[in-house]
Amino acid sequence: MALQKTQSGKVDKRTKEYKEMCANLAKARAAQKKSGGKVKVKKSSSSVMRTKSGKIDKRTKAGKEACARMAKARAAKGSLLHRIARLFYN
């Protein structure tokens, strides 16, 4: 669905595609308003490329960095649990 543009570069509001897009946006706004307002967005990895299934693309530099951060966080969480377990169960 390519939107046609006028000579000045603005979107041509007379086209069928533009009117469909506006209708979809209005429908989405109404659904958002009905559901409670705010849409939850993950901010930590929003700039990372994702695959079709929505997972982080590990082939890119940003994806590798994000995966490294997550692995580090998992290791830290696990080590804390192990330390507590050693204190109480050994």
Side-chain angles (χ1 to χ4, degrees):
M1 183 170 108
L3 293 174
Q4 291 182 351
K5 302 210 176 197
T6 59
Q7 282 185 332
S8 62
K10 294 183 178 181
V11 177
D12 191 357
K13 295 180 179 178
R14 298 170 294 178
T15 60
K16 181 180 174 184
E17 289 86 6
Y18 177 80
K19 290 175 183 171
E20 285 176 7
M21 183 184 73
C22 288
N24 287 338
L25 289 172
K27 193 186 294 183
R29 277 192 220 101
Q32 183 181 4
K33 191 175 184 181
K34 194 176 196 181
S35 70
K38 293 185 179 178
V39 176
K40 294 179 183 176
V41 177
K42 292 182 181 179
K43 292 188 178 186
S44 62
S45 60
S46 62
S47 63
V48 178
M49 292 287 292
R50 295 185 178 269
T51 60
K52 278 186 181 179
S53 62
K55 294 183 178 180
I56 293 175
D57 192 357
K58 296 176 185 172
R59 297 172 294 179
T60 62
K61 183 178 178 182
K64 288 176 184 174
E65 289 171 356
C67 289
R69 283 194 306 272
M70 288 188 289
K72 188 176 178 183
R74 277 194 299 271
K77 182 179 176 187
S79 66
L80 178 64
L81 290 174
H82 291 300
R83 266 188 267 155
I84 293 170
R86 273 184 267 142
L87 278 172
F88 291 108
Y89 298 116
N90 284 338

